[in-house]
Amino acid sequence: LSRPRLAIEAYREYAEHPRTSRSDVQEAQSAIRRLESSLVRLEVTSNVEGARIRVDGLPEGETPRTIEVGPGSHVVEVSSPGFSVWTRELEVGAGDEHQLAAELELLPGELSVTSQPEGAEVWVDGERIGVTPLEQELSSGAHLVELRHADHRNAQRRVMLQAGEHESVTINLSPLSGTLAVATNAPGAILTI
């Protein structure tokens, strides 16, 4: 079943059983030697310590780890929450050793920006990315969002995007101008603003 390590353990249990005959023990030990000589060693590391390893769809522990598999085709997957899955297909021969260094990449976060009034320019970290309403994938982490709209005060908001998560921001922009009515009971008063 392409699980030589489990087969070796099963043969060892069989060989140690009190009811196993001497000839069957010798046969089991011969099978163990044959299987051990055919094992392929995969040394799996990743840039995210403790990432989960799967070989041919079966869990094999966490990085860093050395895994022994049989010769043939294998698919190695390394994953961690918030990161993309790293996958490699291998064709390995008996006695081979392979070092696999998985480079997991952070998943982007999604930012949704709305404003009142709509149509405000959206700047993220000093770069214009569109107008409201807007949905945009961005790298995870802290970002400075600035909205700009004619005849309105610019507004800024700092947001923290989590990998693979959605963050919504709504900003009400204040108008730049307004109407001021002044009434006095002193004729000829001077008004200073």
Side-chain angles (χ1 to χ4, degrees):
L1 299 176
S2 298
R3 305 280 287 173
R5 183 51 59 200
L6 290 177
I8 290 169
E9 290 172 17
Y11 273 120
R12 284 195 176 126
E13 286 180 24
Y14 177 68
E16 292 170 2
H17 195 278
R19 291 190 181 176
T20 304
S21 69
R22 183 180 234 51
S23 64
D24 286 344
V25 167
Q26 290 172 343
E27 237 179 90
Q29 289 172 339
S30 173
I32 290 169
R33 285 190 297 277
R34 188 174 62 253
L35 284 168
E36 285 179 334
S37 69
S38 73
L39 288 177
V40 177
R41 293 173 57 94
L42 304 177
E43 293 181 29
V44 184
T45 60
S46 70
N47 58 329
V48 178
E49 192 169 328
R52 293 184 301 271
I53 304 168
R54 294 180 77 81
V55 176
D56 301 326
L58 300 171
E60 290 289 348
E62 298 178 346
T63 59
R65 186 174 183 93
T66 299
I67 301 164
E68 294 176 322
V69 297
S73 296
H74 298 282
V75 177
V76 179
E77 292 179 354
V78 180
S79 63
S80 187
F83 291 84
S84 59
V85 177
W86 182 91
T87 305
R88 285 294 179 274
E89 293 183 28
L90 300 171
E91 185 69 38
V92 295
D96 286 355
E97 289 190 18
H98 294 270
Q99 295 180 344
L100 304 173
E103 287 293 323
L104 303 182
E105 295 180 9
L106 271 174
L107 291 172
E110 188 174 335
L111 178 65
S112 174
V113 183
T114 55
S115 68
Q116 188 60 32
E118 290 186 348
E121 292 183 351
V122 180
W123 294 71
V124 176
D125 301 328
E127 182 181 335
R128 186 182 187 278
I129 63 169
V131 296
T132 60
L134 174 85
E135 288 203 20
Q136 180 78 34
E137 280 191 351
L138 297 171
S139 61
S140 57
H143 295 281
L144 180 63
V145 177
E146 181 178 4
L147 296 188
R148 300 176 187 174
H149 196 290
D151 299 326
H152 289 78
R153 292 191 197 322
N154 293 349
Q156 293 183 344
R157 181 91 41 94
R158 191 162 293 281
V159 296
M160 178 63 77
L161 286 180
Q162 301 297 323
E165 298 289 322
H166 180 91
E167 182 72 28
S168 294
V169 175
T170 300
I171 299 176
N172 293 321
L173 299 172
S174 302
L176 278 177
S177 60
T179 304
L180 175 66
V182 178
T184 69
N185 61 356
I190 297 174
L191 176 64
T192 304
I193 297 178

